[in-house]
Amino acid sequence: MFEPIDKISNLSEFKEDVFKGKIFVFKKSEITLKLVQEIRKNILIEYDGQLEKLHLLDNCEEISSKLVTNLKKIPEFKKLFKIFLEEIKFFHEKSYWDQFRVRVAPAQNKFSYREASRISSHRDTWGTNIHQQINWWAPISSISETNTMIFYPDYFARAVKNSTSTWDLNTYLEHRKREDFSYPSAPQLLEELPSDANVQSVNIEPGEILCFSGCHLHSSSKEESDNTRFSYEIRTICQDDLDNRREAPNTDCDLQWQFPKIFRNIDDNSPLKLLAE
Ligand SMILES: [Fe+2]
């Protein structure tokens, strides 16, 4: 279900495939390895041990929180990622992206600091209600079966109970401004998935990059692990997909509004605006 690819030969067909639920894995290249190396170089400033074994330190929580904070908004990461998007022939005029985030998924799943935590099952589009959203995700350290990202491919087009009808991004942001973290950062899954649900775990190497529709139901692995996981992610939206309503199906998102404000134009940093606004 994870289709390896070097470069996009037909962008429209590629997008159609993504919006139908196909998941691509871009192969390693000089630029993707350079990006991993650049992130690791910045991690080294705070932590010079083996990334997968960070949890063995007593102060691993403190280091993880510091790392994810320090690694936000380093412009070099986005610069390199843009070159990657150009090289694979994805980038064309008027595209938007959100923040470049490095995440730490702890081995034992016992602490939680936003980007330093395991994440439960969700669709990224539950937070924005924009179905043209494409997710890019990649490991920075080697990942193991027990600490990776997992997909529920059969639920791409199957609805699940969730809290999108009552969740609101603006309310969340207002709470966060007051440093009140009691409001959930994203809508939640409100049902237990069957234990025999088809689960596909991601097993890719640093330098490879996963590309999938933001409508996919996915989560962090649920098991305890011997390894801490470092990964990065970013989301993109292309103006021509918005214009042509080329998008993934809205399976079960009941948000009242669309929330484009987390997306910025890749070239001039102007905010994404949707016509309906
Ligand atoms: Fe996600």
Side-chain angles (χ1 to χ4, degrees):
M1 95 159 249
F2 302 107
E3 188 164 314
I5 182 171
D6 275 314
K7 201 172 272 193
I8 299 164
S9 49
N10 180 320
L11 188 57
S12 307
E13 280 174 20
F14 174 81
K15 299 261 195 71
E16 298 285 352
D17 283 344
V18 169
F19 294 139
K20 271 190 236 149
K22 202 181 243 189
I23 302 175
F24 290 95
V25 177
F26 283 90
K27 294 182 193 168
K28 288 180 198 175
S29 68
E30 212 174 296
I31 194 72
T32 64
L33 290 166
K34 196 171 167 195
L35 175 53
V36 170
Q37 203 180 35
E38 187 64 27
I39 299 170
R40 292 182 77 115
K41 200 175 87 192
N42 281 276
I43 292 173
L44 262 180
I45 299 168
E46 199 62 50
Y47 170 66
D48 64 359
Q50 192 188 345
L51 299 190
E52 294 85 347
K53 299 300 169 197
L54 171 65
H55 57 282
L56 298 178
L57 296 183
D58 288 340
N59 59 344
C60 63
E61 300 181 18
E62 194 192 324
I63 294 178
S64 302
S65 334
K66 254 196 205 160
L67 277 175
V68 293
T69 306
N70 294 352
L71 296 169
K72 272 178 195 170
K73 296 178 181 166
I74 295 187
E76 187 65 14
F77 300 165
K78 273 189 155 178
K79 259 187 228 162
L80 293 170
F81 196 78
K82 183 180 173 189
I83 299 173
F84 160 72
L85 292 178
E86 286 165 343
E87 283 190 0
I88 60 164
K89 307 282 177 213
F90 178 86
F91 182 72
H92 51 293
E93 60 178 85
K94 271 211 165 175
S95 298
Y96 299 81
W97 54 16
D98 71 340
Q99 218 183 77
F100 188 100
R101 282 189 189 81
V102 173
R103 282 190 192 275
V104 182
Q108 263 94 43
N109 205 2
K110 63 176 181 186
F111 71 97
S112 156
Y113 168 81
R114 287 171 288 161
E115 288 97 357
S117 60
R118 302 278 192 106
I119 297 174
S120 51
S121 305
H122 66 283
R123 305 183 200 275
D124 279 48
T125 46
W126 282 353
T128 58
N129 202 12
I130 302 174
H131 304 280
Q132 290 84 356
Q133 193 174 307
I134 294 178
N135 283 28
W136 307 83
W137 181 93
I140 298 162
S141 56
S142 66
I143 50 180
S144 59
E145 182 85 18
T146 47
N147 194 356
T148 181
M149 194 208 293
I150 57 174
F151 283 90
Y152 297 93
D154 297 347
Y155 285 86
F156 179 72
R158 191 187 300 171
V160 288
K161 279 191 200 138
N162 64 75
S163 62
T164 47
S165 62
T166 54
W167 188 85
D168 179 77
L169 179 70
N170 293 327
T171 310
Y172 164 65
L173 294 175
E174 280 160 25
H175 277 72
R176 206 177 62 174
K177 223 186 262 173
R178 301 197 298 266
E179 303 216 348
D180 170 0
F181 295 101
S182 60
Y183 194 84
S185 60
Q188 314 283 303
L189 176 70
L190 297 179
E191 67 173 76
E192 193 88 25
L193 298 175
S195 55
D196 61 351
N198 174 18
V199 171
Q200 297 286 329
S201 357
V202 176
N203 180 16
I204 62 174
E205 293 180 6
E208 295 177 309
I209 300 179
L210 201 68
C211 172
F212 60 98
S213 157
C215 288
H216 259 294
L217 190 67
H218 61 286
S219 120
S220 304
S221 330
K222 321 260 186 222
E223 298 94 337
E224 300 273 289
S225 176
D226 293 329
N227 285 319
T228 297
R229 159 166 63 87
F230 281 73
S231 58
Y232 71 80
E233 64 199 49
I234 190 164
R235 298 155 189 83
T236 55
I237 292 178
C238 301
Q239 186 66 49
D240 60 341
D241 294 334
L242 294 168
D243 295 343
N244 298 309
R245 294 297 304 264
R246 187 162 50 194
E247 60 194 4
N250 178 5
T251 314
D252 53 19
C253 177
D254 291 321
L255 285 184
Q256 290 183 46
W257 319 104
Q258 289 185 298
F259 292 116
K261 66 160 88 168
I262 58 168
F263 290 93
R264 298 257 161 188
N265 186 295
I266 292 180
D267 283 322
D268 64 18
N269 207 35
S270 61
L272 170 63
K273 287 203 161 61
L274 299 173
L275 283 176
E277 277 192 306

